[in-house]
Amino acid sequence: MSRYDRWNAILELLAQEGRLSVEDAARALDVSTATIRRDFDQLAQQQMLMRTRGGAVAQSVSYDLPLRYKTARHADEKHRIAAAAAELVRPGAVVGLNGGTTTSELARVLATQATLESGFTIVTNALNIAAELVVRQHVKIVVTGGVARPQSYELIGPLASGVLERVTLDIAFLGVDGLDVELGASAHHEGEADVNHLLISRAAHVAVVADSSKLGKRAFSRICPIGEIDTLVTDERLPEAEAARFTEAGVKVIRA
């Protein structure tokens, strides 16, 4: 297990339990207590947890891990979802992308898609997506304004609206923290939810890209109701019954 995988696992355990001893973490991850103590110290330095005598307790950010620690989770599913979602994009399209691991993977797939070599445009509030794709000459990058959130690399706040209110999108891909038939799409942070809602309001077609672990879940702040979503691209682990509920709500479901 790599260091980042281990850190991610520690933070996940803390998010569930709130408190974690060195011995319990070592046993759960099958590593030495010395390794766990070092991990706890390094995570505490980054203010991802608070050190206690013999263990650690969760910081308020533990429910919303920084993007770099989330990347390894459901990696295969995210790549398949991204590949399927990329098929929805046509040459010359204007594409909206918010931040997140699945949309970041989608951005990489789009940039290398042979059918899009003639060029297309990406409008995004995600700094990591813009930075990674700016070197691609066939991709025009438009970045919103705003204040950067280190957890997601997304730009949020009223400065983002100045750009988004002046553009139109052919399709917007939305990464979410939760998607529920009754509530709709949601995010952990209200600032991200506001910008994400504005992003999809500019699009002719809205597609949620999310692995099945996000489905049937609710996060703190609502992005939009289910009626504003046209397509859901997810993985094959979504049960047929759950897929049928989304279909009955008017959402086309693509399982990759």
Side-chain angles (χ1 to χ4, degrees), residues 74-88:
H74 309 290
D76 291 340
E77 289 92 338
K78 291 177 193 295
H79 182 74
R80 291 198 303 271
I81 290 166
E87 297 295 324
L88 301 174

Side-chain angles (χ1 to χ4, degrees), residues 22-45:
V22 169
E23 290 74 16
D24 287 344
R27 189 161 43 251
L29 276 60
D30 195 24
V31 296
S32 69
T33 55
T35 296
I36 293 297
R37 288 191 185 93
R38 187 167 57 249
D39 289 341
F40 279 2
D41 289 341
Q42 291 170 335
L43 287 168
Q45 288 173 6

Side-chain angles (χ1 to χ4, degrees), residues 56-240:
V57 295
Q59 293 274 60
S60 61
V61 294
S62 293
Y63 73 93
D64 191 14
L65 309 182
L67 190 67
R68 64 185 181 278
Y69 300 129
K70 293 181 181 178
T71 304
R73 294 190 301 186
H74 309 290
D76 291 340
E77 289 92 338
K78 291 177 193 295
H79 182 74
R80 291 198 303 271
I81 290 166
E87 297 295 324
L88 301 174
V89 179
R90 299 291 173 259
V94 181
V95 180
L97 291 173
N98 70 336
T101 53
T102 308
T103 50
S104 296
E105 182 65 21
L106 173 56
R108 298 183 191 105
V109 172
L110 289 173
T112 57
Q113 195 90 327
T115 57
L116 301 176
E117 289 180 350
S118 59
F120 64 101
T121 299
I122 284 182
V123 179
T124 186
N125 69 323
L127 291 172
N128 65 303
I129 290 175
E132 189 168 335
L133 267 59
V134 70
V135 297
R136 303 280 184 171
Q137 295 186 356
H138 66 294
V139 183
K140 179 179 178 179
I141 299 292
V142 179
V143 184
T144 71
V147 177
R149 283 198 78 227
Q151 285 88 351
S152 63
Y153 305 151
E154 284 189 87
L155 297 168
I156 62 173
L159 291 174
S161 63
V163 171
L164 292 175
E165 288 172 353
R166 298 178 65 180
V167 300
T168 57
L169 311 174
D170 295 304
I171 186 168
F173 291 101
L174 184 65
V176 300
D177 293 314
L179 183 66
D180 178 80
V181 172
E182 284 77 27
L183 179 70
S186 54
H188 287 313
H189 192 274
E190 66 279 5
E192 289 181 5
D194 287 345
V195 174
N196 293 343
H197 183 261
L198 183 55
L199 179 75
I200 67 171
S201 73
R202 309 305 297 167
H205 190 96
V206 176
V208 168
V209 287
D211 64 73
S212 55
S213 70
K214 304 285 184 65
L215 306 182
K217 303 289 179 63
R218 300 184 176 195
F220 171 69
S221 189
R222 189 187 203 192
I223 299 171
C224 67
I226 199 72
E228 293 183 21
I229 298 167
D230 301 296
T231 303
L232 166 62
V233 187
T234 188
D235 59 69
E236 292 180 336
R237 295 184 183 183
L238 179 68
E240 287 282 357

